[in-house]
Amino acid sequence: MAQSSRRFFLRDRTHHEHTELDQLIGPLTSEPAYRRYLKSLAAFRIGAEQAMSTVRWPESLAGWAPVSLSVMMQADLKDLQEIHHPMPDFPPPASLPALLGVLYVLEGSSLGARFLARQVSALGYTQDFGARHLAIQTASPDNWQHFLRLLESAPEWDADVAADAAHGLFRYAIDAVRHTDRLTETSHG
């Protein structure tokens, strides 16, 4: 597939936030690290998916849907006897370019899911226990490629609006990690 100029524009415009989020999460090489990640990602992803559920789906995206992780994340939390701590509502995207920016972040997270699944399998978390959401993400690699084709061919495009929406969702994810950390600090000291 030809490289998407819109994809790389969004990647470049969100590089700082993406790097900050990756560094904030760190490697998932211990049970506490994975539990922190799972609680943080659930807060982020469930909030984002709730916002997306209110969006009127545009005709240009008909026949395609983002991978939904909320149900599997709730099951993973239950496996680990953790509870979901919701974040404040994330605002639904108000235009097709904003929607594309949000979807870029949501669907793009599947690219790292294979790496994360390998890390957490060493801890005993699998598609049947504790890491169902990662199994769902890694089971649909074509969904990302399909999204990229839709992104490139979208009839309405405003690069700044899309980048602002992607930036906002990355900030929401960063806030979810910090929210989880604050709750952990509160409960442990």
Side-chain angles (χ1 to χ4, degrees), residues 111-150:
L111 297 177
R114 283 193 188 333
F115 176 70
L116 296 177
R118 283 193 300 273
Q119 282 186 342
V120 303
S121 70
L123 301 172
Y125 301 118
T126 67
Q127 66 184 9
D128 299 317
F129 180 83
R132 290 174 179 84
H133 75 282
L134 291 171
I136 294 294
Q137 280 187 295
T138 60
S140 306
D142 292 343
N143 214 50
W144 172 246
Q145 294 303 318
H146 191 173
F147 168 71
L148 291 177
R149 288 189 293 275
L150 293 170

PDB file of all heavy atoms in Angstrom, residues 111-150:
ATOM      1  N   LEU A 111      -1.128  -1.183  16.454  1.00  0.00           N
ATOM      2  CA  LEU A 111       0.226  -1.444  15.955  1.00  0.00           C
ATOM      3  C   LEU A 111       1.157  -1.918  17.071  1.00  0.00           C
ATOM      4  O   LEU A 111       2.011  -2.770  16.851  1.00  0.00           O
ATOM      5  CB  LEU A 111       0.802  -0.200  15.277  1.00  0.00           C
ATOM      6  CG  LEU A 111       0.064   0.273  14.035  1.00  0.00           C
ATOM      7  CD1 LEU A 111       0.686   1.556  13.498  1.00  0.00           C
ATOM      8  CD2 LEU A 111       0.028  -0.798  12.965  1.00  0.00           C
ATOM      9  N   GLY A 112       0.992  -1.393  18.257  1.00  0.00           N
ATOM     10  CA  GLY A 112       1.833  -1.805  19.377  1.00  0.00           C
ATOM     11  C   GLY A 112       1.284  -2.995  20.152  1.00  0.00           C
ATOM     12  O   GLY A 112       1.965  -3.547  21.016  1.00  0.00           O
ATOM     13  N   ALA A 113       0.065  -3.406  19.825  1.00  0.00           N
ATOM     14  CA  ALA A 113      -0.582  -4.470  20.598  1.00  0.00           C
ATOM     15  C   ALA A 113       0.170  -5.800  20.500  1.00  0.00           C
ATOM     16  O   ALA A 113       0.231  -6.541  21.480  1.00  0.00           O
ATOM     17  CB  ALA A 113      -2.031  -4.644  20.152  1.00  0.00           C
ATOM     18  N   ARG A 114       0.745  -6.115  19.352  1.00  0.00           N
ATOM     19  CA  ARG A 114       1.488  -7.382  19.214  1.00  0.00           C
ATOM     20  C   ARG A 114       2.679  -7.412  20.177  1.00  0.00           C
ATOM     21  O   ARG A 114       2.924  -8.402  20.850  1.00  0.00           O
ATOM     22  CB  ARG A 114       1.988  -7.563  17.795  1.00  0.00           C
ATOM     23  CG  ARG A 114       0.927  -8.002  16.823  1.00  0.00           C
ATOM     24  CD  ARG A 114       1.561  -8.462  15.523  1.00  0.00           C
ATOM     25  NE  ARG A 114       0.786  -8.775  14.387  1.00  0.00           N
ATOM     26  CZ  ARG A 114      -0.448  -9.200  14.286  1.00  0.00           C
ATOM     27  NH1 ARG A 114      -1.161  -9.328  15.343  1.00  0.00           N
ATOM     28  NH2 ARG A 114      -1.029  -9.496  13.160  1.00  0.00           N
ATOM     29  N   PHE A 115       3.399  -6.322  20.225  1.00  0.00           N
ATOM     30  CA  PHE A 115       4.549  -6.215  21.127  1.00  0.00           C
ATOM     31  C   PHE A 115       4.099  -6.340  22.585  1.00  0.00           C
ATOM     32  O   PHE A 115       4.690  -7.073  23.378  1.00  0.00           O
ATOM     33  CB  PHE A 115       5.274  -4.887  20.875  1.00  0.00           C
ATOM     34  CG  PHE A 115       6.410  -4.631  21.804  1.00  0.00           C
ATOM     35  CD1 PHE A 115       7.577  -5.371  21.721  1.00  0.00           C
ATOM     36  CD2 PHE A 115       6.312  -3.647  22.769  1.00  0.00           C
ATOM     37  CE1 PHE A 115       8.637  -5.138  22.590  1.00  0.00           C
ATOM     38  CE2 PHE A 115       7.361  -3.397  23.641  1.00  0.00           C
ATOM     39  CZ  PHE A 115       8.529  -4.151  23.546  1.00  0.00           C
ATOM     40  N   LEU A 116       3.031  -5.641  22.942  1.00  0.00           N
ATOM     41  CA  LEU A 116       2.525  -5.696  24.308  1.00  0.00           C
ATOM     42  C   LEU A 116       2.018  -7.099  24.651  1.00  0.00           C
ATOM     43  O   LEU A 116       2.231  -7.579  25.762  1.00  0.00           O
ATOM     44  CB  LEU A 116       1.405  -4.674  24.507  1.00  0.00           C
ATOM     45  CG  LEU A 116       1.806  -3.206  24.361  1.00  0.00           C
ATOM     46  CD1 LEU A 116       0.579  -2.313  24.505  1.00  0.00           C
ATOM     47  CD2 LEU A 116       2.876  -2.823  25.350  1.00  0.00           C
ATOM     48  N   ALA A 117       1.357  -7.752  23.712  1.00  0.00           N
ATOM     49  CA  ALA A 117       0.849  -9.108  23.958  1.00  0.00           C
ATOM     50  C   ALA A 117       1.998 -10.061  24.272  1.00  0.00           C
ATOM     51  O   ALA A 117       1.871 -10.916  25.157  1.00  0.00           O
ATOM     52  CB  ALA A 117       0.047  -9.599  22.755  1.00  0.00           C
ATOM     53  N   ARG A 118       3.112  -9.919  23.573  1.00  0.00           N
ATOM     54  CA  ARG A 118       4.282 -10.765  23.870  1.00  0.00           C
ATOM     55  C   ARG A 118       4.821 -10.461  25.266  1.00  0.00           C
ATOM     56  O   ARG A 118       5.174 -11.371  26.012  1.00  0.00           O
ATOM     57  CB  ARG A 118       5.377 -10.559  22.821  1.00  0.00           C
ATOM     58  CG  ARG A 118       5.102 -11.266  21.511  1.00  0.00           C
ATOM     59  CD  ARG A 118       6.315 -11.303  20.613  1.00  0.00           C
ATOM     60  NE  ARG A 118       6.830 -10.001  20.242  1.00  0.00           N
ATOM     61  CZ  ARG A 118       6.414  -9.291  19.209  1.00  0.00           C
ATOM     62  NH1 ARG A 118       5.478  -9.749  18.405  1.00  0.00           N
ATOM     63  NH2 ARG A 118       6.946  -8.110  18.944  1.00  0.00           N
ATOM     64  N   GLN A 119       4.888  -9.182  25.617  1.00  0.00           N
ATOM     65  CA  GLN A 119       5.381  -8.821  26.952  1.00  0.00           C
ATOM     66  C   GLN A 119       4.510  -9.431  28.044  1.00  0.00           C
ATOM     67  O   GLN A 119       5.019 -10.027  28.990  1.00  0.00           O
ATOM     68  CB  GLN A 119       5.411  -7.296  27.133  1.00  0.00           C
ATOM     69  CG  GLN A 119       6.562  -6.606  26.485  1.00  0.00           C
ATOM     70  CD  GLN A 119       6.584  -5.115  26.837  1.00  0.00           C
ATOM     71  OE1 GLN A 119       5.607  -4.527  27.279  1.00  0.00           O
ATOM     72  NE2 GLN A 119       7.727  -4.499  26.617  1.00  0.00           N
ATOM     73  N   VAL A 120       3.195  -9.293  27.919  1.00  0.00           N
ATOM     74  CA  VAL A 120       2.331  -9.724  29.016  1.00  0.00           C
ATOM     75  C   VAL A 120       2.086 -11.231  29.011  1.00  0.00           C
ATOM     76  O   VAL A 120       1.715 -11.780  30.050  1.00  0.00           O
ATOM     77  CB  VAL A 120       1.008  -8.934  29.063  1.00  0.00           C
ATOM     78  CG1 VAL A 120       1.289  -7.438  29.175  1.00  0.00           C
ATOM     79  CG2 VAL A 120       0.114  -9.232  27.892  1.00  0.00           C
ATOM     80  N   SER A 121       2.316 -11.888  27.887  1.00  0.00           N
ATOM     81  CA  SER A 121       2.178 -13.350  27.904  1.00  0.00           C
ATOM     82  C   SER A 121       3.235 -13.963  28.817  1.00  0.00           C
ATOM     83  O   SER A 121       2.989 -14.994  29.457  1.00  0.00           O
ATOM     84  CB  SER A 121       2.255 -13.937  26.499  1.00  0.00           C
ATOM     85  OG  SER A 121       3.563 -13.834  25.983  1.00  0.00           O
ATOM     86  N   ALA A 122       4.384 -13.313  28.927  1.00  0.00           N
ATOM     87  CA  ALA A 122       5.429 -13.781  29.838  1.00  0.00           C
ATOM     88  C   ALA A 122       4.986 -13.668  31.302  1.00  0.00           C
ATOM     89  O   ALA A 122       5.532 -14.343  32.170  1.00  0.00           O
ATOM     90  CB  ALA A 122       6.716 -12.995  29.619  1.00  0.00           C
ATOM     91  N   LEU A 123       3.972 -12.830  31.554  1.00  0.00           N
ATOM     92  CA  LEU A 123       3.430 -12.670  32.906  1.00  0.00           C
ATOM     93  C   LEU A 123       2.235 -13.600  33.148  1.00  0.00           C
ATOM     94  O   LEU A 123       1.676 -13.609  34.242  1.00  0.00           O
ATOM     95  CB  LEU A 123       2.994 -11.220  33.124  1.00  0.00           C
ATOM     96  CG  LEU A 123       4.074 -10.148  32.975  1.00  0.00           C
ATOM     97  CD1 LEU A 123       3.455  -8.751  33.026  1.00  0.00           C
ATOM     98  CD2 LEU A 123       5.139 -10.310  34.037  1.00  0.00           C
ATOM     99  N   GLY A 124       1.841 -14.339  32.117  1.00  0.00           N
ATOM    100  CA  GLY A 124       0.721 -15.267  32.251  1.00  0.00           C
ATOM    101  C   GLY A 124      -0.615 -14.725  31.774  1.00  0.00           C
ATOM    102  O   GLY A 124      -1.646 -15.370  31.955  1.00  0.00           O
ATOM    103  N   TYR A 125      -0.624 -13.557  31.154  1.00  0.00           N
ATOM    104  CA  TYR A 125      -1.869 -12.971  30.657  1.00  0.00           C
ATOM    105  C   TYR A 125      -2.024 -13.322  29.177  1.00  0.00           C
ATOM    106  O   TYR A 125      -1.109 -13.124  28.384  1.00  0.00           O
ATOM    107  CB  TYR A 125      -1.877 -11.460  30.862  1.00  0.00           C
ATOM    108  CG  TYR A 125      -1.730 -11.086  32.318  1.00  0.00           C
ATOM    109  CD1 TYR A 125      -0.650 -10.350  32.765  1.00  0.00           C
ATOM    110  CD2 TYR A 125      -2.673 -11.510  33.253  1.00  0.00           C
ATOM    111  CE1 TYR A 125      -0.514 -10.027  34.105  1.00  0.00           C
ATOM    112  CE2 TYR A 125      -2.540 -11.194  34.592  1.00  0.00           C
ATOM    113  CZ  TYR A 125      -1.459 -10.455  35.011  1.00  0.00           C
ATOM    114  OH  TYR A 125      -1.325 -10.147  36.337  1.00  0.00           O
ATOM    115  N   THR A 126      -3.210 -13.843  28.841  1.00  0.00           N
ATOM    116  CA  THR A 126      -3.452 -14.358  27.495  1.00  0.00           C
ATOM    117  C   THR A 126      -4.809 -13.901  26.980  1.00  0.00           C
ATOM    118  O   THR A 126      -5.537 -13.186  27.677  1.00  0.00           O
ATOM    119  CB  THR A 126      -3.447 -15.903  27.521  1.00  0.00           C
ATOM    120  OG1 THR A 126      -4.602 -16.337  28.288  1.00  0.00           O
ATOM    121  CG2 THR A 126      -2.172 -16.461  28.136  1.00  0.00           C
ATOM    122  N   GLN A 127      -5.146 -14.419  25.815  1.00  0.00           N
ATOM    123  CA  GLN A 127      -6.457 -14.121  25.221  1.00  0.00           C
ATOM    124  C   GLN A 127      -7.613 -14.699  26.036  1.00  0.00           C
ATOM    125  O   GLN A 127      -8.758 -14.318  25.833  1.00  0.00           O
ATOM    126  CB  GLN A 127      -6.520 -14.654  23.804  1.00  0.00           C
ATOM    127  CG  GLN A 127      -6.477 -16.165  23.715  1.00  0.00           C
ATOM    128  CD  GLN A 127      -6.453 -16.648  22.278  1.00  0.00           C
ATOM    129  OE1 GLN A 127      -6.298 -15.866  21.341  1.00  0.00           O
ATOM    130  NE2 GLN A 127      -6.606 -17.939  22.106  1.00  0.00           N
ATOM    131  N   ASP A 128      -7.296 -15.601  26.949  1.00  0.00           N
ATOM    132  CA  ASP A 128      -8.323 -16.208  27.793  1.00  0.00           C
ATOM    133  C   ASP A 128      -8.343 -15.656  29.213  1.00  0.00           C
ATOM    134  O   ASP A 128      -9.272 -15.944  29.972  1.00  0.00           O
ATOM    135  CB  ASP A 128      -8.107 -17.727  27.860  1.00  0.00           C
ATOM    136  CG  ASP A 128      -8.210 -18.371  26.501  1.00  0.00           C
ATOM    137  OD1 ASP A 128      -9.129 -18.013  25.737  1.00  0.00           O
ATOM    138  OD2 ASP A 128      -7.353 -19.224  26.183  1.00  0.00           O
ATOM    139  N   PHE A 129      -7.313 -14.894  29.565  1.00  0.00           N
ATOM    140  CA  PHE A 129      -7.250 -14.370  30.932  1.00  0.00           C
ATOM    141  C   PHE A 129      -6.385 -13.111  30.986  1.00  0.00           C
ATOM    142  O   PHE A 129      -5.183 -13.161  30.732  1.00  0.00           O
ATOM    143  CB  PHE A 129      -6.655 -15.409  31.899  1.00  0.00           C
ATOM    144  CG  PHE A 129      -6.572 -14.914  33.322  1.00  0.00           C
ATOM    145  CD1 PHE A 129      -7.678 -14.974  34.153  1.00  0.00           C
ATOM    146  CD2 PHE A 129      -5.401 -14.359  33.813  1.00  0.00           C
ATOM    147  CE1 PHE A 129      -7.616 -14.499  35.464  1.00  0.00           C
ATOM    148  CE2 PHE A 129      -5.327 -13.874  35.124  1.00  0.00           C
ATOM    149  CZ  PHE A 129      -6.432 -13.949  35.942  1.00  0.00           C
ATOM    150  N   GLY A 130      -7.020 -11.992  31.271  1.00  0.00           N
ATOM    151  CA  GLY A 130      -6.292 -10.766  31.561  1.00  0.00           C
ATOM    152  C   GLY A 130      -5.801  -9.948  30.393  1.00  0.00           C
ATOM    153  O   GLY A 130      -5.454  -8.787  30.557  1.00  0.00           O
ATOM    154  N   ALA A 131      -5.753 -10.546  29.189  1.00  0.00           N
ATOM    155  CA  ALA A 131      -5.257  -9.785  28.022  1.00  0.00           C
ATOM    156  C   ALA A 131      -6.149 -10.011  26.805  1.00  0.00           C
ATOM    157  O   ALA A 131      -5.682 -10.022  25.672  1.00  0.00           O
ATOM    158  CB  ALA A 131      -3.819 -10.175  27.713  1.00  0.00           C
ATOM    159  N   ARG A 132      -7.429 -10.157  27.047  1.00  0.00           N
ATOM    160  CA  ARG A 132      -8.378 -10.346  25.947  1.00  0.00           C
ATOM    161  C   ARG A 132      -8.346  -9.165  24.974  1.00  0.00           C
ATOM    162  O   ARG A 132      -8.449  -9.338  23.770  1.00  0.00           O
ATOM    163  CB  ARG A 132      -9.790 -10.514  26.499  1.00  0.00           C
ATOM    164  CG  ARG A 132     -10.034 -11.802  27.226  1.00  0.00           C
ATOM    165  CD  ARG A 132     -11.445 -11.784  27.863  1.00  0.00           C
ATOM    166  NE  ARG A 132     -11.730 -13.011  28.559  1.00  0.00           N
ATOM    167  CZ  ARG A 132     -11.354 -13.253  29.810  1.00  0.00           C
ATOM    168  NH1 ARG A 132     -10.672 -12.343  30.499  1.00  0.00           N
ATOM    169  NH2 ARG A 132     -11.647 -14.389  30.386  1.00  0.00           N
ATOM    170  N   HIS A 133      -8.246  -7.974  25.532  1.00  0.00           N
ATOM    171  CA  HIS A 133      -8.275  -6.787  24.672  1.00  0.00           C
ATOM    172  C   HIS A 133      -7.101  -6.781  23.692  1.00  0.00           C
ATOM    173  O   HIS A 133      -7.245  -6.353  22.552  1.00  0.00           O
ATOM    174  CB  HIS A 133      -8.314  -5.502  25.498  1.00  0.00           C
ATOM    175  CG  HIS A 133      -7.020  -5.136  26.130  1.00  0.00           C
ATOM    176  ND1 HIS A 133      -6.545  -5.748  27.280  1.00  0.00           N
ATOM    177  CD2 HIS A 133      -6.079  -4.221  25.763  1.00  0.00           C
ATOM    178  CE1 HIS A 133      -5.374  -5.216  27.596  1.00  0.00           C
ATOM    179  NE2 HIS A 133      -5.078  -4.285  26.696  1.00  0.00           N
ATOM    180  N   LEU A 134      -5.947  -7.264  24.118  1.00  0.00           N
ATOM    181  CA  LEU A 134      -4.794  -7.330  23.215  1.00  0.00           C
ATOM    182  C   LEU A 134      -5.022  -8.372  22.128  1.00  0.00           C
ATOM    183  O   LEU A 134      -4.635  -8.171  20.966  1.00  0.00           O
ATOM    184  CB  LEU A 134      -3.518  -7.625  23.996  1.00  0.00           C
ATOM    185  CG  LEU A 134      -3.040  -6.506  24.915  1.00  0.00           C
ATOM    186  CD1 LEU A 134      -1.896  -6.978  25.801  1.00  0.00           C
ATOM    187  CD2 LEU A 134      -2.641  -5.272  24.113  1.00  0.00           C
ATOM    188  N   ALA A 135      -5.665  -9.478  22.481  1.00  0.00           N
ATOM    189  CA  ALA A 135      -5.974 -10.501  21.477  1.00  0.00           C
ATOM    190  C   ALA A 135      -6.922  -9.945  20.423  1.00  0.00           C
ATOM    191  O   ALA A 135      -6.748 -10.217  19.221  1.00  0.00           O
ATOM    192  CB  ALA A 135      -6.568 -11.733  22.152  1.00  0.00           C
ATOM    193  N   ILE A 136      -7.901  -9.166  20.850  1.00  0.00           N
ATOM    194  CA  ILE A 136      -8.843  -8.552  19.899  1.00  0.00           C
ATOM    195  C   ILE A 136      -8.090  -7.597  18.970  1.00  0.00           C
ATOM    196  O   ILE A 136      -8.300  -7.600  17.757  1.00  0.00           O
ATOM    197  CB  ILE A 136      -9.959  -7.787  20.652  1.00  0.00           C
ATOM    198  CG1 ILE A 136     -10.823  -8.753  21.443  1.00  0.00           C
ATOM    199  CG2 ILE A 136     -10.790  -6.951  19.701  1.00  0.00           C
ATOM    200  CD1 ILE A 136     -11.633  -9.710  20.620  1.00  0.00           C
ATOM    201  N   GLN A 137      -7.211  -6.785  19.515  1.00  0.00           N
ATOM    202  CA  GLN A 137      -6.459  -5.835  18.689  1.00  0.00           C
ATOM    203  C   GLN A 137      -5.561  -6.542  17.684  1.00  0.00           C
ATOM    204  O   GLN A 137      -5.462  -6.121  16.547  1.00  0.00           O
ATOM    205  CB  GLN A 137      -5.600  -4.924  19.572  1.00  0.00           C
ATOM    206  CG  GLN A 137      -6.373  -3.810  20.193  1.00  0.00           C
ATOM    207  CD  GLN A 137      -5.460  -2.838  20.911  1.00  0.00           C
ATOM    208  OE1 GLN A 137      -4.822  -3.210  21.892  1.00  0.00           O
ATOM    209  NE2 GLN A 137      -5.401  -1.624  20.442  1.00  0.00           N
ATOM    210  N   THR A 138      -4.900  -7.591  18.104  1.00  0.00           N
ATOM    211  CA  THR A 138      -3.960  -8.267  17.206  1.00  0.00           C
ATOM    212  C   THR A 138      -4.662  -9.173  16.204  1.00  0.00           C
ATOM    213  O   THR A 138      -4.056  -9.573  15.218  1.00  0.00           O
ATOM    214  CB  THR A 138      -2.919  -9.084  17.995  1.00  0.00           C
ATOM    215  OG1 THR A 138      -3.587 -10.073  18.780  1.00  0.00           O
ATOM    216  CG2 THR A 138      -2.078  -8.194  18.884  1.00  0.00           C
ATOM    217  N   ALA A 139      -5.932  -9.480  16.434  1.00  0.00           N
ATOM    218  CA  ALA A 139      -6.674 -10.364  15.536  1.00  0.00           C
ATOM    219  C   ALA A 139      -7.149  -9.658  14.269  1.00  0.00           C
ATOM    220  O   ALA A 139      -7.598 -10.314  13.334  1.00  0.00           O
ATOM    221  CB  ALA A 139      -7.869 -10.964  16.265  1.00  0.00           C
ATOM    222  N   SER A 140      -7.062  -8.346  14.221  1.00  0.00           N
ATOM    223  CA  SER A 140      -7.613  -7.590  13.092  1.00  0.00           C
ATOM    224  C   SER A 140      -6.586  -6.657  12.449  1.00  0.00           C
ATOM    225  O   SER A 140      -6.818  -5.455  12.343  1.00  0.00           O
ATOM    226  CB  SER A 140      -8.812  -6.765  13.562  1.00  0.00           C
ATOM    227  OG  SER A 140      -9.754  -7.555  14.204  1.00  0.00           O
ATOM    228  N   PRO A 141      -5.437  -7.172  11.979  1.00  0.00           N
ATOM    229  CA  PRO A 141      -4.430  -6.268  11.418  1.00  0.00           C
ATOM    230  C   PRO A 141      -4.908  -5.555  10.150  1.00  0.00           C
ATOM    231  O   PRO A 141      -4.466  -4.451   9.859  1.00  0.00           O
ATOM    232  CB  PRO A 141      -3.234  -7.184  11.121  1.00  0.00           C
ATOM    233  CG  PRO A 141      -3.824  -8.547  10.998  1.00  0.00           C
ATOM    234  CD  PRO A 141      -5.013  -8.570  11.913  1.00  0.00           C
ATOM    235  N   ASP A 142      -5.842  -6.155   9.428  1.00  0.00           N
ATOM    236  CA  ASP A 142      -6.344  -5.522   8.208  1.00  0.00           C
ATOM    237  C   ASP A 142      -7.200  -4.293   8.498  1.00  0.00           C
ATOM    238  O   ASP A 142      -7.370  -3.444   7.632  1.00  0.00           O
ATOM    239  CB  ASP A 142      -7.148  -6.523   7.380  1.00  0.00           C
ATOM    240  CG  ASP A 142      -6.276  -7.624   6.813  1.00  0.00           C
ATOM    241  OD1 ASP A 142      -5.043  -7.454   6.771  1.00  0.00           O
ATOM    242  OD2 ASP A 142      -6.838  -8.663   6.416  1.00  0.00           O
ATOM    243  N   ASN A 143      -7.747  -4.206   9.711  1.00  0.00           N
ATOM    244  CA  ASN A 143      -8.582  -3.061  10.049  1.00  0.00           C
ATOM    245  C   ASN A 143      -7.798  -1.752   9.965  1.00  0.00           C
ATOM    246  O   ASN A 143      -8.320  -0.730   9.521  1.00  0.00           O
ATOM    247  CB  ASN A 143      -9.199  -3.238  11.443  1.00  0.00           C
ATOM    248  CG  ASN A 143     -10.575  -2.646  11.533  1.00  0.00           C
ATOM    249  OD1 ASN A 143     -11.421  -2.908  10.688  1.00  0.00           O
ATOM    250  ND2 ASN A 143     -10.814  -1.850  12.560  1.00  0.00           N
ATOM    251  N   TRP A 144      -6.532  -1.780  10.395  1.00  0.00           N
ATOM    252  CA  TRP A 144      -5.666  -0.597  10.317  1.00  0.00           C
ATOM    253  C   TRP A 144      -5.431  -0.203   8.860  1.00  0.00           C
ATOM    254  O   TRP A 144      -5.548   0.970   8.501  1.00  0.00           O
ATOM    255  CB  TRP A 144      -4.355  -0.862  11.052  1.00  0.00           C
ATOM    256  CG  TRP A 144      -3.306   0.197  10.888  1.00  0.00           C
ATOM    257  CD1 TRP A 144      -2.098   0.055  10.260  1.00  0.00           C
ATOM    258  CD2 TRP A 144      -3.332   1.560  11.345  1.00  0.00           C
ATOM    259  NE1 TRP A 144      -1.391   1.239  10.312  1.00  0.00           N
ATOM    260  CE2 TRP A 144      -2.124   2.181  10.976  1.00  0.00           C
ATOM    261  CE3 TRP A 144      -4.280   2.315  12.042  1.00  0.00           C
ATOM    262  CZ2 TRP A 144      -1.834   3.504  11.266  1.00  0.00           C
ATOM    263  CZ3 TRP A 144      -3.985   3.647  12.330  1.00  0.00           C
ATOM    264  CH2 TRP A 144      -2.778   4.222  11.939  1.00  0.00           C
ATOM    265  N   GLN A 145      -5.119  -1.179   8.030  1.00  0.00           N
ATOM    266  CA  GLN A 145      -4.878  -0.889   6.614  1.00  0.00           C
ATOM    267  C   GLN A 145      -6.137  -0.336   5.941  1.00  0.00           C
ATOM    268  O   GLN A 145      -6.059   0.589   5.135  1.00  0.00           O
ATOM    269  CB  GLN A 145      -4.371  -2.140   5.888  1.00  0.00           C
ATOM    270  CG  GLN A 145      -3.003  -2.599   6.342  1.00  0.00           C
ATOM    271  CD  GLN A 145      -1.942  -1.521   6.186  1.00  0.00           C
ATOM    272  OE1 GLN A 145      -1.883  -0.814   5.191  1.00  0.00           O
ATOM    273  NE2 GLN A 145      -1.097  -1.377   7.200  1.00  0.00           N
ATOM    274  N   HIS A 146      -7.276  -0.909   6.282  1.00  0.00           N
ATOM    275  CA  HIS A 146      -8.538  -0.416   5.738  1.00  0.00           C
ATOM    276  C   HIS A 146      -8.777   1.029   6.187  1.00  0.00           C
ATOM    277  O   HIS A 146      -9.165   1.885   5.388  1.00  0.00           O
ATOM    278  CB  HIS A 146      -9.678  -1.329   6.183  1.00  0.00           C
ATOM    279  CG  HIS A 146     -10.973  -1.083   5.479  1.00  0.00           C
ATOM    280  ND1 HIS A 146     -12.056  -1.886   5.641  1.00  0.00           N
ATOM    281  CD2 HIS A 146     -11.379  -0.118   4.621  1.00  0.00           C
ATOM    282  CE1 HIS A 146     -13.067  -1.433   4.922  1.00  0.00           C
ATOM    283  NE2 HIS A 146     -12.683  -0.355   4.297  1.00  0.00           N
ATOM    284  N   PHE A 147      -8.523   1.295   7.468  1.00  0.00           N
ATOM    285  CA  PHE A 147      -8.681   2.663   7.961  1.00  0.00           C
ATOM    286  C   PHE A 147      -7.767   3.632   7.205  1.00  0.00           C
ATOM    287  O   PHE A 147      -8.183   4.733   6.846  1.00  0.00           O
ATOM    288  CB  PHE A 147      -8.398   2.759   9.464  1.00  0.00           C
ATOM    289  CG  PHE A 147      -8.284   4.182   9.923  1.00  0.00           C
ATOM    290  CD1 PHE A 147      -9.398   4.996   9.977  1.00  0.00           C
ATOM    291  CD2 PHE A 147      -7.052   4.729  10.261  1.00  0.00           C
ATOM    292  CE1 PHE A 147      -9.298   6.333  10.364  1.00  0.00           C
ATOM    293  CE2 PHE A 147      -6.937   6.061  10.647  1.00  0.00           C
ATOM    294  CZ  PHE A 147      -8.068   6.862  10.700  1.00  0.00           C
ATOM    295  N   LEU A 148      -6.527   3.234   6.968  1.00  0.00           N
ATOM    296  CA  LEU A 148      -5.598   4.122   6.257  1.00  0.00           C
ATOM    297  C   LEU A 148      -6.109   4.467   4.862  1.00  0.00           C
ATOM    298  O   LEU A 148      -5.965   5.612   4.417  1.00  0.00           O
ATOM    299  CB  LEU A 148      -4.203   3.491   6.180  1.00  0.00           C
ATOM    300  CG  LEU A 148      -3.456   3.385   7.506  1.00  0.00           C
ATOM    301  CD1 LEU A 148      -2.113   2.685   7.292  1.00  0.00           C
ATOM    302  CD2 LEU A 148      -3.282   4.738   8.165  1.00  0.00           C
ATOM    303  N   ARG A 149      -6.702   3.513   4.180  1.00  0.00           N
ATOM    304  CA  ARG A 149      -7.277   3.803   2.855  1.00  0.00           C
ATOM    305  C   ARG A 149      -8.421   4.802   2.983  1.00  0.00           C
ATOM    306  O   ARG A 149      -8.541   5.730   2.180  1.00  0.00           O
ATOM    307  CB  ARG A 149      -7.742   2.512   2.179  1.00  0.00           C
ATOM    308  CG  ARG A 149      -6.596   1.633   1.707  1.00  0.00           C
ATOM    309  CD  ARG A 149      -7.063   0.460   0.853  1.00  0.00           C
ATOM    310  NE  ARG A 149      -7.837  -0.518   1.595  1.00  0.00           N
ATOM    311  CZ  ARG A 149      -7.319  -1.518   2.308  1.00  0.00           C
ATOM    312  NH1 ARG A 149      -6.018  -1.677   2.375  1.00  0.00           N
ATOM    313  NH2 ARG A 149      -8.115  -2.364   2.938  1.00  0.00           N
ATOM    314  N   LEU A 150      -9.257   4.626   4.004  1.00  0.00           N
ATOM    315  CA  LEU A 150     -10.362   5.561   4.229  1.00  0.00           C
ATOM    316  C   LEU A 150      -9.851   6.939   4.614  1.00  0.00           C
ATOM    317  O   LEU A 150     -10.392   7.964   4.178  1.00  0.00           O
ATOM    318  CB  LEU A 150     -11.293   5.014   5.313  1.00  0.00           C
ATOM    319  CG  LEU A 150     -12.066   3.753   4.949  1.00  0.00           C
ATOM    320  CD1 LEU A 150     -12.745   3.176   6.183  1.00  0.00           C
ATOM    321  CD2 LEU A 150     -13.074   4.034   3.855  1.00  0.00           C
TER     322      LEU A 150
END
